[in-house]
Amino acid sequence: HVTGGGGGTGETGGAETPVTVDAAAAFPPLRIEPFAFDLPEEHTLPLLAGIVPEDVFDLHRTYGLLPEDEPELWLRYLALLREHRIVPYDPSPEKEFIRESFESVSLPLYRGELTPDGVPAPAIRFPDNPHARGTPERREFYRDVAERFRSEGLLDRTFYYVDDEPLLDSYTHLIADAREITETVPEIRRLVTESFNPPLAGLVDIWAPDIAMLNQPVPFFPMFGKGAGLHPDFQVNPNVEVYGSELEAGRELWLYTCTSAQYADLPSLFIDAPPAASRIIPWVIHRYGATGMIYFRVSQAYKRGNDPWQNQYFFAANGDGTLVYPALPDFSWSNGHGAVASLRMKLLRDGLEDYEYLQRAEMTSADYSSRLVRSTTSWEKDLNEIASARQSLGEEITIAESGPDHETETFHQVSQPAVSIDYWF
């Protein structure tokens, strides 16, 4: 029952005229055909990303965050990441390894106790070793923490991030570290964000190259910003077929995306990229036989007193390294200090769920991922096409597992559904 007024529809000669709306007639019944299967309780595709607690706390402190509220705020950020299928590199709120935080925050998150669905972490980054190379304390740290993970039944999920985008002249230390881990706790897998390179063969369990490095082998001349300046580091992209041999040998291929995506038509998590650029990343991972993803940070725009709501421009790209926003007390919709997920993070989660469909439909999934991802620079940019492929996968899985006569239910909808999927503003 709606009353007109103020010159709007329903006003007649200054009098208010009642308007009756038949809600049942306004919206047709909604037909739902549920798939006759569930996605796995545990996430198949691990996605690990960094978040810097001090940056988060510093920003919220400028808006009145009290010291006693910091632990609760940190748990809100961790819960938001896990709800979007992201495992933080280090859930501890401290910079250095603190045993108390490891026991009270990190392990509960890894076990799945900090999110309502109770899903454990599919992969875990082993804490960085704080001790100097070659010391007995360093080896004892590996053994001690590994034993704690083993007692929780989590050791087989751990990996040690040996080096990040190593320069060729840093291989000596990388190789020494990898060997030390192998000799001390061989169960810990060793990850390096690097393309396959023969000097590292046998020492790396998880190769994690940039998606840009999966093109056909061409000279690649990156300029790395490390230490005091830029360092030229000439390398050649290996043919993607080399990873097939590595997978056969029991090793893994993970991928990551970063600022290099802006120089070619590559999937990315940039604000200015098409929405499908975020969702298609897990399809790329499936297309090339990879089994995990690394992302360097979700809170880059929190740095240096920057306001993420006003500026996301870092590394010459909007949104690179930032997938969350701060919820602040003066926001009308905010319940105090907290975290807000970006649309890109939600699109990425859609893609991570797409990956579960691809894994379930083993017989035909390669056809779907190859159709949507022709190469790393030629991929489907229409979200409707991606959603349609997921729907088709779901229908195939349902028929394969329960036959064509699965249950259909009819409900009365309370709002009109969108005709198409479109995240553009």
Side-chain angles (χ1 to χ4, degrees):
H1 222 126
V2 182
T3 328
T9 303
E11 184 178 23
T12 305
E16 294 182 343
T17 305
V19 178
T20 301
V21 178
D22 186 348
F27 302 116
L30 175 64
R31 179 182 172 88
I32 295 180
E33 295 186 22
F35 294 139
F37 64 91
D38 293 323
L39 296 184
E41 291 185 3
E42 294 196 24
H43 303 158
T44 303
L45 180 64
L47 193 170
L48 285 89
I51 180 170
V52 181
E54 198 57 34
D55 291 345
V56 172
F57 293 148
D58 282 348
L59 185 144
H60 282 272
R61 286 167 187 156
T62 64
Y63 292 92
L65 178 69
L66 299 176
E68 57 266 29
D69 294 330
E70 290 181 3
E72 177 60 30
L73 173 67
W74 186 240
L75 291 179
R76 290 185 179 186
Y77 271 86
L78 297 181
L80 184 73
L81 293 178
R82 291 300 295 123
E83 287 166 9
H84 289 78
R85 293 175 171 249
I86 297 174
V87 181
Y89 282 158
D90 184 1
S92 171
E94 288 92 8
K95 280 185 177 181
E96 304 295 334
F97 178 83
I98 304 295
R99 191 57 182 253
E100 182 180 352
S101 294
F102 177 72
E103 294 287 344
S104 63
V105 179
S106 300
L107 285 178
L109 181 135
Y110 297 146
R111 291 191 296 254
E113 297 169 7
L114 299 187
T115 49
D117 56 10
V119 175
I124 298 166
R125 178 178 175 173
F126 198 94
D128 288 335
N129 198 318
H131 302 288
R133 290 186 177 95
T135 61
E137 291 82 6
R138 187 175 179 86
R139 288 180 178 267
E140 184 58 31
F141 179 85
Y142 286 131
R143 294 190 189 98
D144 178 50
V145 178
E147 182 56 39
R148 189 69 186 91
F149 278 124
R150 185 182 289 109
S151 68
E152 294 285 340
L154 298 172
L155 186 59
D156 61 340
R157 303 183 184 216
T158 64
F159 66 88
Y160 196 90
Y161 200 147
V162 185
D163 204 350
D164 179 67
E165 295 181 338
L167 300 171
L168 290 175
D169 60 12
S170 68
Y171 269 26
T172 300
H173 287 311
L174 190 164
I175 291 170
D177 289 344
R179 285 176 175 166
E180 183 179 51
I181 296 168
T182 303
E183 295 167 359
T184 308
V185 188
E187 301 100 314
I188 302 175
R189 296 172 296 165
R190 299 164 299 280
L191 177 146
V192 180
T193 46
E194 177 75 308
S195 297
F196 175 83
N197 207 342
L200 303 180
L203 293 173
V204 175
D205 296 301
I206 304 175
W207 298 99
D210 185 352
I211 287 178
M213 303 291 278
L214 285 183
N215 292 311
Q216 293 302 314
V218 294
F220 191 65
F221 194 86
M223 296 293 288
F224 287 108
K226 289 199 171 189
L230 293 173
H231 301 266
D233 200 53
F234 183 83
Q235 296 190 40
V236 175
N237 299 349
N239 194 305
V240 294
E241 294 178 357
V242 72
Y243 295 110
S245 301
E246 287 294 289
L247 296 179
E248 290 177 1
R251 302 180 185 98
E252 293 186 60
L253 170 64
W254 290 19
L255 298 175
Y256 73 92
T257 180
C258 65
T259 188
S260 60
Q262 64 188 295
Y263 303 114
D265 192 11
L266 294 161
S268 74
L269 292 166
F270 303 153
I271 292 173
D272 300 330
S278 298
R279 182 164 179 177
I280 203 69
I281 293 173
W283 291 79
V284 175
I285 290 173
H286 184 271
R287 165 75 168 77
Y288 288 97
T291 52
M293 177 180 172
I294 288 282
Y295 193 61
F296 80 105
R297 191 163 296 165
V298 299
S299 58
Q300 182 67 28
Y302 284 61
K303 297 178 71 67
R304 307 173 197 147
N306 182 68
D307 182 354
W309 292 105
Q310 299 298 323
N311 175 48
Q312 289 267 347
Y313 190 75
F314 288 85
F315 307 109
N318 281 310
D320 190 16
T322 305
L323 295 180
V324 295
Y325 293 81
L328 302 172
D330 57 349
F331 293 177
S332 60
W333 45 265
S334 176
N335 182 23
H337 291 274
V340 182
S342 64
L343 286 176
R344 291 165 292 136
M345 192 154 95
K346 294 186 177 298
L347 284 161
L348 180 58
R349 180 176 62 181
D350 287 343
L352 294 169
E353 292 173 347
D354 294 340
Y355 185 92
E356 302 289 358
Y357 281 70
L358 289 165
Q359 287 293 97
R360 194 69 173 258
E362 294 180 4
M363 299 300 293
T364 59
S365 60
D367 296 335
Y368 283 94
S369 57
S370 297
R371 177 163 56 86
L372 267 60
V373 181
R374 276 80 63 185
S375 71
T376 56
T377 56
S378 177
W379 40 273
E380 182 56 60
K381 296 178 177 62
D382 187 344
L383 283 176
N384 291 296
E385 290 298 321
I386 300 176
S388 176
R390 171 164 160 167
Q391 176 70 20
S392 297
L393 281 167
E395 291 171 354
E396 287 191 17
I397 298 167
T398 294
I399 292 174
E401 297 189 5
S402 64
D405 300 325
H406 56 280
E407 179 184 7
T408 299
E409 299 182 32
T410 300
F411 300 90
H412 286 287
Q413 56 186 345
V414 295
S415 62
Q416 187 70 24
V419 175
S420 64
I421 302 171
D422 190 356
Y423 288 85
W424 283 104
F425 288 121

